[in-house]
Amino acid sequence: MSFSLGRHLAAGLLSTSLALGAFVLPARALTVEEAGKVVRLLGELEPELGRLAYDEEEADQWFDDDAGLEGRIAKAGFTRESWKEALGATFRGYLASIATERFEATFSGLVEKVDASDLNAEQKAEMRSFVVEKIAETRALRAEGAQHLGAVQPYAARLNELLGDEEE
């Protein structure tokens, strides 16, 4: 894994964990059909809306932006809330689909990079704590995604193209 891949994926996972920390999972499991619709829509909308950097606000923004275009999300049968739930479940399932070695390699050296930074001791301690907390939260999101893995697995390669590192 390249340094750039690790840094990009780590940054994305850490920022995602911030946004999703309070996001409540739907009570029911994601279906293969819903996951397929989400993946299809992500691919269709990316040229117009850009690469998705998932969080709950971004899900809302995509829903709003798409409504101003062709309304494909609503046409696919999603309401704002069902879109957010399906997209969140798909994202968590995607995290669960990443090979453990690759997923864990994303975090390799992050704390060491903080320790080697030009920050003062107090800033380093604060940043180190933040990084450790976000790594734990991202691992928890991945664990939550296990319940959606069956629905997401058929689309894992495409999701990696859409949500993974751009250099792959």
Side-chain angles (χ1 to χ4, degrees), residues 50-69:
R51 190 174 180 90
L52 180 74
Y54 184 76
D55 66 28
E56 194 169 320
E57 288 179 13
E58 185 78 4
D60 275 331
Q61 188 64 51
W62 270 50
F63 190 88
D64 291 340
D65 291 349
D66 176 56
L69 297 169

Side-chain angles (χ1 to χ4, degrees), residues 88-108:
T90 300
F91 182 79
R92 283 180 171 84
Y94 165 68
L95 290 179
S97 76
I98 298 171
T100 301
E101 301 79 28
R102 179 174 166 228
F103 182 83
E104 289 301 323
T106 301
F107 307 117
S108 177

Side-chain angles (χ1 to χ4, degrees), residues 29 66 113 120 126 139 143 147 153 165:
D66 176 56
K113 287 180 180 97
N120 66 40
E126 189 174 313
R139 286 177 176 146
Q147 70 177 314
Q153 194 65 52
D165 192 280

